[in-house]
Amino acid sequence: MSQFQDALLSLDRRSFLSSAGGLVAWSFMPRVASAGRSRDPRLLIVVLRGGLDGLSVVAPVGDPNYERARGGLVLERDGASAAMVLDNFFVLNSSMPTLAKLYRSKQAIVVHATATPYRSRSHFDGQDVLESGMDRPTFTSTGWLNRALTSLAPGDPVAKAGGLCIGHEVPLVMRGPAPVVSWMPPGFPEVTSTLPSRLLDLYKHTDPGMANLLEEGLKLKMVVGTEKEMASRMAGMTDAHPQVRAFREAAVAAGKLMAAPAGPRVASLSYVGWDTHTNQRQLGRLLQALDGAIEGLSNELSSVWENTVVAIITEFGRTVHMNGTSGTDHGTATTAILIGGALKGGRIITDWPGLSDANLHEGRDLKPTTDLRAPLKGLLADHLGLSRRVLDETIFPGSASVAPMTDLLAA
Amino acid sequence: MSSRPYRDRRVLRRRDFKTRPFYHLSVFRTRTERIMSIAHALVATRRLGLGPRPGEIKAILNDPKGYVAATLNDSSAGNLLVQGLGRTEAVVARAMSDIEAKRSRRRMARAAMEEGQRGGNDAASGAMNSTPADKSPMARHGIEAGASEPENFVHAEVEARVQHASRTTAAFVERLVMFWSNHFCVSTRKSGLVRSIAGVYERDAIRPHVLGRFVDMVKATAQHPAMLQYLDNAQSVGPNSHMGARRNKGLNENYARELLELHTLGVDGGYEQTDVEGLARILTGWTTRLPREESPGTFMFNPASHEPGSHTVLGRAYADDGVRQGLSAIEDIARHPSTARHIAKRLSKHFVSDNPPPAMVDRLERCFRDTDGDLKEVSLALVSSDEVWSEPPRKILPPYDLMIATYRALNLTAPLPFTLATLKVFGQRVWGVDSPKGWNDDDEHWAAPKAMMERIDWAQGLADRFGSNRDVADLADDIFGGSLSSYTREAIVRSANQSGALVILLLSPEFQRR
C-alpha cells in the first residue's frame, strides 16, 4: 500500500465534513432513527475542570443550616446582585441570567447533590472517573461519550457523523475508536492572506495527505467563520473579560458546527479554572462566562434546539464550609446542569441530603445522593436510544445497579 | 519502492545545481551518490535529529550515518547541566518547603479571618487580597488554578531544555531523551509537587541512562519521587504491614500496573491481574521521606508499610528481602522477552512510522535481548538499520519538535513566553501529558485539520515577529541541502515577501514530516 493510501485511510478515520457519511447520510435518515430516541439528536457534554462548587451555583436557601454552613459564601438575596428564585427551596447565582431564563421556559434541569462514584479528592483521578465512565480511576484510554458513538447501530447517522471536540486535545470523555474531529479556539492571530490556499496548492502537488487535512481545516473554518466573523458574533463583548470571551468563543464554535446539516451530533468541550481554593469571588466571573457560553450555544443551536441536550458536569464538588483563604477545598457532591429544548425542564432533581454537620459527607462535603451516571444514562437512553444493557456494561461498566433517570426529555 | 528516499522524483535537477554550487563536491563520484548523501543527511538531522541548523547539512554530507553514530560515543551525552538547576534532593526539598509555606500562609489567613469574624473587623480581607488572582504568575501565563511556585520551577526547566535542544549537536541523543522521558512520563498535571520536580526527574532519572542500561532507567524512575508521586506508589501500603494493620490502609496498584503495561512488558506482554497485584505488594514500602525528615521527599524503603512475605510475579516467587525484593522483580521484568519486543516496537514506531518494517523491529528486539537492554547498543542498531535511512518521511512533527526545528533553522532564541504560548496553544506543554501513556506517537496525530490551520497562524506570527536574518530561499537550500521539491522552492521564491516565504518553508511537507 502506498504512503498516500495510508495517509488517506488514516484521514478517513478522522474526517467527517468531506466524508461520504456527511451530507448523504443525513438526507437518507429515516424520520425516526431508532425506537425511543430524539429525532436527529444533538448532545453536548461540557466538562468543568477543577471541581465546581455546586452550592454556589444553585443554593439551598430553604435549608435551615444553609446560612450557618456557608458563612461568607451565602448568596445575596437582595439588591442588584440578588440570587434568582428557582423554587421555594433553591435560588440561582445572579451571574447566570440565561440559565434562569431557560429554567423558567422549561429548558433547563438542575440535578443537585450528585457525584460520580469517585470518593477521593484528586482532580486527576476524579476527571478520569468522570470521563472514562468507569467506577474508579483506571486510566482507561476511551471515554464514555466515544463508546456511546461506537455502541450505536452500524450505519447510524449519529455515529457516522462522528464526534466533535473543542480544544487542542481530545478530552478523555470523547476519546476512543469513533472518529472525532477537533476544533481549536483561535490561538494565534489568524492569517488573513492567501497563504492557506497557496499552501493547499503546494500540498496538492507534493503531499495529498496534508492537502486533505488542510482542506478539512479550511472547511471547518468556513462553517465556523473567520475570526473576524467570530468577532462580530462577539460584538458587545469587546470589554468582556478574556475568560468570558474564551468561553463564549468555544461555545459558539461548538454550536455552529453541531447545527450544520452535515455536522457532528455529539460533542464535548471543557472549561478550566473551577478549582476555587482561594477567594471564591472569582467564581462569579466564571459563572458569568459559563452563562455567556450557554447563551452562545442556545443562539447558535436555535435551529435544532428542540433536539438538543447540553449536560454540564464536573469531577467533584467542594467543601460546604469556607476554607481559610475565602475559598473551598475539594469536596464530593455538586450540581449537574442540563439545558436544551429537548428537555422536560424547569425542575430541580434532588434527594436533598441537608447541610447539618451530621449530614455532611465525611463531615465536610455535600453528601452525594444521586449517582451522576443516572441522569447521564437517562440521556443516552432516551436521547440517543442506547439500550440498558449497553449502558450498564459498555458505557458505564459496573453500573447495573444505577438505573437510568427516566422522564428527562419532553414527550 | 522502499528505497526511494523522498517522494518527489524531481529533486535536484541539473538546473538546481547551477544555482547551488556547494554540492559540486568532488567526493561524490556520481549524481546518484550525491543525492543519496543529501537524503541521508536529512534523515540524520530530521528523522534522527531535531532539525538541521544552518550549515549542518553541508558539514555532515560526507558521512551522515557516522555523524549520528558518533554522538553515541559519549555515554554522558544525554546529560543536561545548567547553572542554577539543582539535583533531585535539593529541588524536592525546596518544592516541599514551598508547598509547606503556602499551607502555613493559608492557615494564617484562616486564623486571621476567624479573628476578624470574632472581632467584627475586616482583618482577613487584607491578607486575602494581597495576591489578587489576576496578578499571580499563573494568571499572567494563562495557567489554570494551581500553586504559583511550581510554575517557576517548571518554567526554568523548560527554558533550559528548549535552549539545549535548540543548540545541541548531539541531537539524536536529545531525541532519545525525549523518547524515554515520554516512555516513562510523569505529568505536571498531577500535583504541585510533581509539577515542581518533573524537570529534575528527566534530568536525574532519564538523561543519565539513555545510553546506559534499560534496567537502570527503570530503577531510577521507580525510585524517583516524581514517579512515586505521579503513579501513587508512595501511598501504596501493604495491607498486612505494620502501617496497613494499624491505619487500615492498603494497596495502590497504579504504578505496578503501568510498570508492566507501559514501561516494560506492554499491554499484550503476557501478564495478568495477579501479576499486577503481586508486583504492587512487592513494591509497597517504596515511598518518599516525610517533610520533616532529612532529605525530605526523596526515595526511601519503609519496612513499616512493606507487605511481608513472598509474592509472585510472572510465575516467579520473590522472597521478602526488603528493597531487594522489588529490585529483583524489576531486573527480571526489564529483561523479559516481552519487554524487548515492546521497546523495539515503540522505538521503531517513534523513529520510522506507525507500521515500521518488521525486520527492523526484529533487529532491535534481538539487540535488546542480546545485550541485556544496553540502550547504547540498541540505539546503534537503530542507526544501523537501513530502513531508517530509506523509508519515506511519514511522521508529522509534534508541536514541540516543530518549534525546536524552527528555532534551530533560524538560529533563534525565542523569549520564554513565546515558547510557553506556542506549546500551550498546540496542546503539548513540556511534561504536561494527560495520561501515563505519554504523548501520542501516531504519524499524523498532531495534524488534525484545525491544527494545520493553527500551524499556519503560528508560523505567520513567528515570521512577522522574528523573521529570518537571511534570504529564505537561501536558508531553505541550506537546511534541505538543495533537495526541496521544485514546487516548494518555487512557492518560496514566488512569495510576495520574506515572511510569507518563511511560512511556506516552515509549513512545507519537507519541513512538517520526518
Side-chain angles (χ1 to χ4, degrees):
Chain A
M1 186 181 291
S2 81
Q3 58 192 297
F4 301 150
Q5 282 169 314
D6 277 342
L8 287 171
L9 276 180
S10 68
L11 180 81
D12 228 14
R13 276 188 278 117
R14 71 178 91 205
S15 65
F16 70 89
L17 285 171
S18 63
S19 71
L23 280 166
V24 184
W26 282 103
S27 57
F28 285 108
M29 200 180 114
R31 292 184 64 83
V32 178
S34 68
R37 86 167 195 202
S38 306
R39 240 178 73 187
D40 198 359
R42 305 300 201 279
L43 177 62
L44 171 65
I45 304 297
V46 178
V47 178
L48 306 183
R49 294 181 194 282
L52 167 71
D53 182 28
L55 290 170
S56 287
V57 182
V58 175
V61 293
D63 189 303
N65 291 299
Y66 171 67
E67 300 208 346
R68 187 191 55 79
R70 291 297 272 175
L73 299 170
V74 165
L75 298 188
E76 285 177 42
R77 304 295 303 280
D78 305 301
S81 55
M84 297 164 288
V85 174
L86 294 181
D87 62 16
N88 56 16
F89 196 84
F90 290 105
V91 298
L92 177 66
N93 193 298
S94 62
S95 303
M96 306 199 74
T98 311
L99 179 57
K101 209 170 76 192
L102 288 172
Y103 182 89
R104 285 177 195 136
S105 57
K106 306 207 179 303
Q107 297 167 43
I109 292 174
V110 175
V111 183
H112 216 320
T114 184
T116 69
Y118 179 67
R119 287 291 170 276
S120 300
R121 297 183 180 86
S122 143
H123 293 302
F124 198 69
D125 290 347
Q127 290 175 23
D128 189 80
V129 171
L130 178 74
E131 298 181 72
S132 69
M134 302 295 156
D135 54 5
R136 67 206 145 79
T138 55
F139 299 112
T140 303
S141 59
T142 62
W144 58 263
L145 193 55
N146 192 289
R147 293 197 302 276
L149 281 176
T150 52
S151 300
L152 293 168
D156 186 299
V158 171
K160 266 189 153 171
L164 166 74
C165 78
I166 304 292
H168 26 59
E169 258 171 282
V170 181
L172 176 59
V173 70
M174 197 76 240
R175 251 180 263 162
V180 175
V181 78
S182 59
W183 170 262
M184 284 187 277
F188 305 108
E190 194 174 42
V191 166
T192 50
S193 65
T194 57
L195 259 173
S197 56
R198 283 169 55 212
L199 279 164
L200 181 58
D201 189 52
L202 171 61
Y203 294 168
K204 279 181 172 163
H205 286 101
T206 54
D207 193 324
M210 285 177 70
N212 279 307
L213 290 163
L214 181 54
E215 212 159 15
E216 293 242 339
L218 289 164
K219 277 183 194 160
L220 279 169
K221 184 166 164 172
M222 272 168 59
V223 177
V224 180
T226 63
E227 272 172 39
K228 212 169 159 194
E229 287 156 14
M230 180 70 97
S232 76
R233 301 225 155 221
M234 310 285 289
M237 295 193 71
T238 42
D239 295 335
H241 189 275
Q243 201 162 33
V244 176
R245 284 184 59 91
F247 275 37
R248 176 97 171 201
E249 269 176 356
V252 166
K256 273 169 154 298
L257 288 163
M258 292 178 79
R265 266 48 184 167
V266 171
S268 75
L269 69 89
S270 43
Y271 293 128
V272 299
W274 303 89
D275 197 18
T276 49
H277 283 287
T278 55
N279 192 8
Q280 194 151 309
R281 271 170 291 178
Q282 63 189 289
L283 188 60
R285 194 180 65 226
L286 279 162
L287 292 176
Q288 185 200 338
L290 181 62
D291 199 64
I294 291 172
E295 189 183 26
L297 282 169
S298 64
N299 289 346
E300 298 302 331
L301 286 163
S302 59
S303 61
V304 294
W305 190 243
E306 72 273 20
N307 299 325
T308 296
V309 175
V310 179
I312 303 169
I313 57 179
T314 186
E315 70 259 36
F316 45 58
R318 311 195 67 80
T319 48
V320 169
H321 304 305
M322 192 193 258
N323 67 14
T325 52
S326 299
T328 46
D329 293 320
H330 302 177
T332 308
T334 182
T335 52
I337 300 165
L338 313 179
I339 60 165
L343 293 169
K344 189 202 278 184
R347 295 183 291 156
I348 293 168
I349 299 174
T350 186
D351 173 9
W352 188 247
L355 291 180
S356 73
D357 286 347
N359 285 330
L360 299 186
H361 176 67
E362 296 180 357
R364 50 178 272 161
D365 305 339
L366 182 62
K367 184 189 282 180
T369 52
T370 300
D371 192 314
L372 180 60
R373 292 172 295 181
L376 295 175
K377 286 170 84 169
L379 289 178
L380 293 175
D382 296 342
H383 199 45
L384 295 192
L386 289 171
S387 74
R388 177 73 193 265
R389 196 180 56 79
V390 166
L391 290 170
D392 289 353
E393 294 171 8
T394 309
I395 312 296
F396 296 102
S399 71
S401 61
V402 181
M405 207 174 259
T406 54
D407 215 24
L408 289 171
L409 300 193
Chain B
M1 279 180 69
S2 63
S3 64
R4 198 170 126 185
Y6 284 92
R7 55 176 64 121
D8 193 324
R9 268 295 195 189
R10 277 154 299 195
V11 292
L12 295 178
R13 289 170 305 183
R14 184 169 299 278
R15 170 166 74 78
D16 299 333
F17 282 95
K18 282 187 192 144
T19 58
R20 281 163 269 171
F22 76 73
Y23 298 106
H24 291 289
L25 297 174
S26 54
V27 290
F28 302 116
R29 278 171 315 212
T30 65
R31 183 169 167 276
T32 316
E33 198 177 311
R34 200 163 54 220
I35 290 171
M36 287 311 292
S37 200
I38 292 167
H40 287 170
L42 290 175
V43 168
T45 52
R46 298 183 51 78
R47 168 166 291 158
L48 298 176
L50 291 158
R53 286 165 59 83
E56 197 172 358
I57 295 288
K58 187 178 174 184
I60 69 170
L61 215 44
N62 278 331
D63 184 13
K65 294 185 185 181
Y67 175 75
V68 178
T71 60
L72 302 175
N73 288 337
D74 174 6
S75 62
S76 65
N79 287 341
L80 174 60
L81 303 171
V82 177
Q83 190 81 40
L85 292 184
R87 304 301 296 267
T88 294
E89 187 172 328
V91 176
V92 175
R94 171 76 209 288
M96 288 184 73
S97 87
D98 280 1
I99 289 168
E100 187 52 40
K102 196 178 157 200
R103 280 203 192 118
S104 94
R105 277 202 302 279
R106 262 197 216 166
R107 271 197 301 274
M108 281 168 64
R110 187 182 300 144
M113 196 183 64
E114 279 162 10
E115 180 68 24
Q117 277 173 350
R118 274 198 296 277
N121 62 33
D122 207 9
S125 64
M128 264 155 38
N129 294 338
S130 58
T131 52
D134 294 0
K135 303 265 165 55
S136 69
M138 61 208 174
R140 269 191 280 111
H141 289 292
I143 285 151
E144 57 258 39
S148 59
E149 293 85 353
E151 300 312 331
N152 302 335
F153 282 85
V154 86
H155 289 173
E157 295 277 2
V158 169
E159 183 153 43
R161 192 192 206 236
V162 167
Q163 290 200 1
H164 175 66
S166 305
R167 293 194 177 86
T168 181
T169 50
F172 179 51
V173 179
E174 186 64 13
R175 284 286 305 282
L176 293 172
V177 168
M178 289 154 62
F179 171 83
W180 289 113
S181 180
N182 194 48
H183 183 83
F184 291 100
C185 71
V186 297
S187 177
T188 53
R189 297 180 181 211
K190 172 73 171 183
S191 65
L193 180 59
V194 177
R195 190 149 54 226
S196 301
I197 64 177
V200 74
Y201 165 77
E202 182 179 279
R203 285 188 290 115
D204 277 1
I206 304 292
R207 288 184 179 274
H209 305 290
V210 293
L211 299 179
R213 294 176 67 227
F214 178 74
V215 65
D216 292 334
M217 201 184 311
V218 180
K219 287 178 186 169
T221 56
Q223 298 192 339
H224 197 279
M227 184 62 84
L228 288 163
Q229 295 297 337
Y230 176 52
L231 293 179
D232 305 322
N233 204 70
Q235 280 78 46
S236 184
V237 171
N240 300 309
S241 69
H242 185 64
M243 192 189 281
R246 256 193 6 190
R247 299 201 202 153
N248 197 22
K249 287 187 170 178
L251 282 185
N252 185 319
E253 303 169 0
N254 197 5
Y255 175 65
R257 178 179 307 281
E258 304 308 7
L259 177 56
L260 294 176
E261 177 183 331
L262 301 174
H263 300 168
T264 58
L265 304 177
V267 69
D268 304 320
Y271 63 91
E272 288 171 12
Q273 175 61 26
T274 51
D275 298 311
V276 173
E277 286 168 21
L279 185 57
R281 288 196 171 84
I282 287 172
L283 293 175
T284 49
W286 289 43
T287 186
T288 53
R289 290 188 174 85
L290 295 173
R292 287 181 223 305
E293 293 179 51
E294 202 164 313
S295 305
T298 56
F299 173 77
M300 70 175 284
F301 177 77
N302 183 3
S305 60
H306 181 66
E307 178 75 356
S310 158
H311 307 292
T312 303
V313 180
L314 299 169
R316 189 178 155 186
Y318 295 88
D320 194 353
D321 190 11
V323 71
R324 205 42 248 170
Q325 188 184 24
L327 291 172
S328 302
I330 285 179
E331 282 157 14
D332 290 341
I333 295 162
R335 64 162 62 96
H336 193 280
S338 295
T339 300
R341 184 81 194 154
H342 182 218
I343 299 301
K345 271 192 197 162
R346 286 205 54 158
L347 269 171
S348 307
K349 179 178 174 182
H350 181 78
F351 282 100
V352 178
S353 74
D354 289 351
N355 300 300
M360 176 184 170
V361 180
D362 292 346
R363 202 176 306 124
L364 297 191
E365 179 186 354
R366 212 161 39 239
C367 176
F368 189 101
R369 291 171 71 163
D370 291 350
T371 65
D372 200 15
D374 183 329
L375 296 181
K376 181 185 171 185
E377 293 303 322
V378 174
S379 305
L380 261 176
L382 177 78
V383 175
S384 318
S385 291
D386 287 343
E387 295 90 339
V388 166
W389 301 92
S390 59
E391 285 287 309
R394 290 202 176 90
K395 300 196 89 75
I396 296 277
L397 265 62
Y400 179 84
D401 303 51
L402 173 66
M403 180 186 79
I404 296 294
T406 303
Y407 290 179
R408 287 174 71 91
L410 296 171
N411 203 7
L412 174 67
T413 307
L416 183 64
F418 182 86
T419 294
L420 295 175
T422 297
L423 297 173
K424 182 188 170 199
V425 170
F426 283 134
Q428 200 185 24
R429 287 183 175 131
V430 181
W431 309 303
V433 293
D434 65 353
S435 137
K437 274 189 157 168
W439 299 114
N440 187 308
D441 213 6
D442 291 352
D443 291 354
E444 294 190 348
H445 173 77
W446 294 100
K450 183 57 174 30
M452 291 304 297
M453 307 290 294
E454 208 64 67
R455 285 184 179 211
I456 299 174
D457 295 342
W458 173 77
Q460 183 71 66
L462 180 134
D464 290 344
R465 184 160 168 196
F466 306 111
S468 169
N469 54 10
R470 60 194 278 207
D471 180 73
V472 175
D474 271 0
L475 174 66
D477 291 340
D478 182 329
I479 62 172
F480 283 99
S483 72
L484 281 181
S485 76
S486 55
Y487 295 106
T488 300
R489 194 163 195 284
E490 253 160 54
I492 290 171
V493 172
R494 285 188 186 170
S495 291
N497 52 48
Q498 286 286 297
S499 97
L502 184 54
V503 177
I504 301 271
L505 170 62
L506 298 179
L507 265 295
S508 65
E510 290 94 332
F511 201 91
Q512 292 284 322
R513 289 193 199 260
R514 67 181 172 207

